[in-house]
Amino acid sequence: MNQKILVLSEKHGSKLKNVTIEALTAAKQMKKQAGRIVALCLGTYTEDQIKQLAEYGADQVIIAEDESLNVFTTDTYTDVLYQVIKEENPDIILMGHTGEGKDLAPRVAARLGIGLISDVTAINFENGEIIFTRPIYSGKAFQKKKVIEGKTFATIRPNNIPMEEPDLTRTVDATYISTKIYHNRINVNEIVQKATEGIDLSEAKIVISGGRGMKGQEGFILLKELATVLGGAVGASRGACDADYCDYSLQIGQTGKIVTPDLYIACGISGAIQHVAGMSNSKMIIAINKDSEAPIFSIADYGIVGDVFEVVPALIEAFRSVKMNVI
Ligand SMILES: Cc1cc2nc3c(=O)[nH]c(=O)nc-3n(C[C@H](O)[C@H](O)[C@H](O)COP(=O)(O)OP(=O)(O)OC[C@H]3O[C@@H](n4cnc5c(N)ncnc54)[C@H](O)[C@@H]3O)c2cc1C
């Protein structure tokens, strides 16, 4: 029997989400010799996006180009994904552990009557078996899981599976399918983009995060400046969001977004467990806090004990001059 792996593609504006490319990379690692990777696109995709899916490993691209799928709703996406899985009968289903993935995957798994391994941060192979690693207890421990029966269904946490280089010679023909939407209880009239325009916080390689120590909205303007110089995104603690220093869409933590950037700079954040749950897997953590006893220093790779209003402007100036010298 030929193995089939279905990857649900996601876009952010005109670009494929990095996590889609990471899921394709994971699919390539899992693919057996006679296996096939099928990328599923919901809504309108351009030729460039289809080509990119092929370059990163898709052997086939299926597009459900119903106009109503250009906007995500739980009902429509669940209906279509369920039908495609029934029709294609893949052995493995992968998608990002994104807002959409977190919403869809459990519903579709329940409808199919199969299990789900969510929030995967690593994939390994032991004696021919696929072993998935996922964080538990707010990132304090890791759990290893394998599927012992039925289809394998997993969501992948963004920024954890290193993307492979694309093979620019690869192309693929897209197959357009029509699907039936049985019920949709939600009409989206308007989408208002909030503060996270530009780099997607969940996928950013550099995150500059601010807490109550930033004192106000002006403090966040400073962080935005640092993020712009470094090409990163701005995040926040719930303390800062509650105090109205910034929008809740920036909140990182247990009840906010989970990020795994290469560099996380925590500015005026104490390091409460609920915040740490959303960023402790970052590859390098730098903390700036005037209190040398702040808990954030216990998980930081580098700590700067000082006033953010002195340290952050100094960093902006230093990084700017390094960039100028490089140019
Ligand atoms: C159920 C639940 C869920 C939660 N979910 C989340 C979540 O998802 N994300 C989250 O972040 N929190 C969450 N919280 C809240 C969390 O417990 C903390 O209250 C919150 O993270 C604190 O935010 P903070 O670090 O910005 O503020 P504070 O704890 O007040 O810390 C501010 C820090 O700034 C430092 N500081 C002050 N001035 C300066 C200065 N000039 N220069 C340098 N440093 C300075 C201080 O020394 C201090 O360490 C949750 C809480 C609960 C109960």
Side-chain angles (χ1 to χ4, degrees), residues 33-94:
Q33 215 165 23
R36 263 179 98 62
I37 299 174
V38 180
L40 171 63
C41 306
L42 305 188
T44 310
Y45 271 65
T46 63
E47 291 289 317
D48 273 0
Q49 290 161 345
I50 297 166
K51 168 96 172 77
Q52 241 194 319
L53 288 166
E55 289 169 359
Y56 282 103
D59 301 303
Q60 187 189 346
V61 174
I62 296 178
I63 305 186
E65 208 184 24
D66 191 308
E67 210 182 299
S68 67
L69 297 172
N70 283 331
V71 173
F72 172 84
T73 77
T74 305
D75 285 341
T76 53
Y77 271 49
T78 304
D79 266 357
V80 174
L81 183 58
Y82 173 78
Q83 284 167 61
V84 172
I85 293 172
K86 278 296 214 191
E87 182 68 32
E88 292 293 318
N89 195 23
D91 306 279
I92 300 175
I93 306 148
L94 298 176

Side-chain angles (χ1 to χ4, degrees), residues 2-21:
N2 280 350
Q3 177 213 41
K4 196 186 270 186
I5 305 176
L6 185 83
V7 174
L8 178 70
S9 173
E10 277 187 60
K11 293 184 290 182
H12 179 65
S14 60
K15 281 183 64 199
L16 292 182
K17 280 195 177 170
N18 285 349
V19 73
T20 294
I21 296 169

